[in-house]
Amino acid sequence: MDDKLAGMEHSEAHYFNSYNHHGIHEEMLKDEVRTKSYRDAIYQNRHLFKDKVVLDVGCGTSILSMFAVKAGAKHVIGVDMSSIIEKAREIVEVNGMSDKITLLQGKMEEVQLPFPKVDIIISEWMGYFLLYESMLDTVLYARDKYLVPNGLIFPDKATLFLAGIEDGEYKEEKIGFWDNVYGFDYTPLKQTALTEPLVDTVELKAVVTDPTPILTLDLYTVQPSDLAFSSTFALNVRREDFVHALIAWFDIDFTACHKPIRFSTGPHSKYTHWKQTVFYIQDVLTVEAGDKITGLLENKPNSKNKRDLDIKISYEFEPADPTRKAGGSYEYKM
Ligand code: SAH
């Protein structure tokens, strides 16, 4: 373990250690939807970056810092707690940007910045289900402490969506597996399997309902307390099918751009390393076009480990035909 992590809570040290290895950064850099969206948002807006002081919150390998320098920033400060920042220093050096980029190893909440204020914050903070890992808290901390009035945040908007899917085959393989394990009844583990959302790619053809937004975050105004939220939803069924699970994904917007840039991590979009998050439900809903699945999704950071999430989904399905009625309430942990 890194010396800098000594004394830190175990779960926090574990979190930062996970970013020490180059493999996780390789996965993010190779995610072209992600990395090219940031690059386009920065390169296509040189008029915004020219001569500005920029803060890269959680700079990792410093890719966003270097984009900002190329777009004309006067100076970029990159902050990261993980030891990957040592490699970032070498990368910045070999790319001849050492005089333009200051890299600081430490927690964003604890480091001393060489500038009292910054004009722009850039950060890639999104986790699975948007909020897993809770890094957004760190960006909001940086915003409140360092961003000049009317400063810019890249990206500045995030929207979380929900939809219903048909996923009989996989649900059977994943959940039904516990019904009979080498002739034994393993159903006590079935409940556990159901409480864990699955991060996986979902094919567009599996989506049975219209998507509906359940959370929209404006990064200029959102408060850490808003990240524990509850949202009602109503999902319109598009076709006759079954619903085995609900899925969530998010879209990200850079609205400050001259030509706004948006990317989606939904099943209708190109693959990203965030994939989609699948919440299996106990019931199998038999649905027809025009039916509605209504409910409530509640999310809050886990009280023991704030980077984990406790998610509760309650739903009611009330078609005209009473034999198809269903409802339930499930708690998930991720
Ligand atoms: N900006 C890079 C890396 C994004 S991953 C890129 O786009 O490729 C997020 C990074 O933020 C990780 O390297 C992690 O160590 C860092 N990080 C998360 N919370 C932090 C905090 N509170 N203080 C400092 N670094 C943090």
Side-chain angles (χ1 to χ4, degrees), residues 109-300:
E109 293 81 354
E110 292 166 6
V111 292
Q112 282 285 328
L113 296 197
F115 293 84
K117 290 284 168 190
V118 303
D119 303 301
I120 303 181
I121 288 176
I122 51 180
S123 186
E124 199 279 82
W125 51 269
M126 296 81 77
Y128 298 135
F129 188 65
L130 186 63
L131 298 174
Y132 181 62
E133 293 189 358
S134 301
M135 190 183 153
L136 181 54
D137 286 353
T138 298
V139 177
L140 303 185
Y141 175 92
R143 173 197 71 187
D144 294 345
K145 185 154 179 192
Y146 296 113
L147 193 63
V148 295
N150 300 317
L152 300 176
I153 307 177
F154 278 67
D156 58 351
K157 192 178 156 199
T159 314
L160 189 61
F161 293 89
L162 199 66
I165 62 161
E166 182 283 316
D167 196 18
E169 216 175 299
Y170 199 65
K171 186 177 178 185
E172 185 49 36
E173 185 186 310
K174 201 59 206 155
I175 310 291
F177 169 74
W178 301 109
D179 285 332
N180 178 347
V181 179
Y182 300 96
F184 297 106
D185 181 344
Y186 261 59
T187 46
L189 274 177
K190 196 172 180 171
Q191 293 311 320
T192 318
L194 274 170
T195 62
E196 273 182 18
L198 198 74
V199 174
D200 207 351
T201 45
V202 173
E203 282 185 83
L204 182 58
K205 66 178 192 326
V207 179
V208 174
T209 74
D210 288 335
T212 192
I214 52 166
L215 178 73
T216 302
L217 300 178
D218 173 345
L219 265 71
Y220 294 105
T221 56
V222 66
Q223 297 300 317
S225 57
D226 299 332
L227 306 180
F229 68 94
S230 62
S231 170
T232 56
F233 60 83
L235 297 168
N236 284 314
V237 174
R238 285 175 175 167
R239 62 163 190 253
E240 186 180 315
D241 210 325
F242 299 102
V243 170
H244 299 96
L246 301 181
I247 62 164
W249 70 86
F250 58 87
D251 287 7
I252 291 294
D253 287 89
F254 300 81
T255 73
C257 296
H258 181 60
K259 200 178 117 220
I261 288 182
R262 156 177 273 221
F263 73 90
S264 177
T265 65
H268 54 285
S269 309
K270 218 175 129 185
Y271 171 90
T272 75
H273 76 288
W274 288 287
K275 304 176 182 170
Q276 288 86 40
T277 307
V278 183
F279 300 88
Y280 286 107
I281 55 176
Q282 202 122 34
D283 298 312
V284 176
L285 310 181
T286 308
V287 299
E288 286 172 8
D291 285 346
K292 262 196 178 52
I293 305 165
T294 58
L296 179 72
L297 185 144
E298 296 162 87
N299 169 73
K300 61 174 181 350

Side-chain angles (χ1 to χ4, degrees), residues 9-29:
E9 215 180 298
H10 180 74
S11 57
E12 277 301 274
H14 178 77
Y15 170 70
F16 289 117
N17 271 328
S18 73
Y19 284 103
N20 288 347
H21 192 259
H22 73 272
I24 189 168
H25 294 281
E26 182 178 359
E27 185 186 27
M28 292 188 287
L29 294 166

Side-chain angles (χ1 to χ4, degrees), residues 15-16 19 25 28-29 34 56 58-60 63-64 79-82 106-109 124 135 138:
Y15 170 70
F16 289 117
Y19 284 103
H25 294 281
M28 292 188 287
L29 294 166
R34 180 200 89 111
D56 180 354
C59 62
I63 184 77
L64 307 182
V79 178
D80 207 295
M81 182 70 215
S82 296
K107 275 185 91 165
M108 186 67 233
E109 293 81 354
E124 199 279 82
M135 190 183 153
T138 298

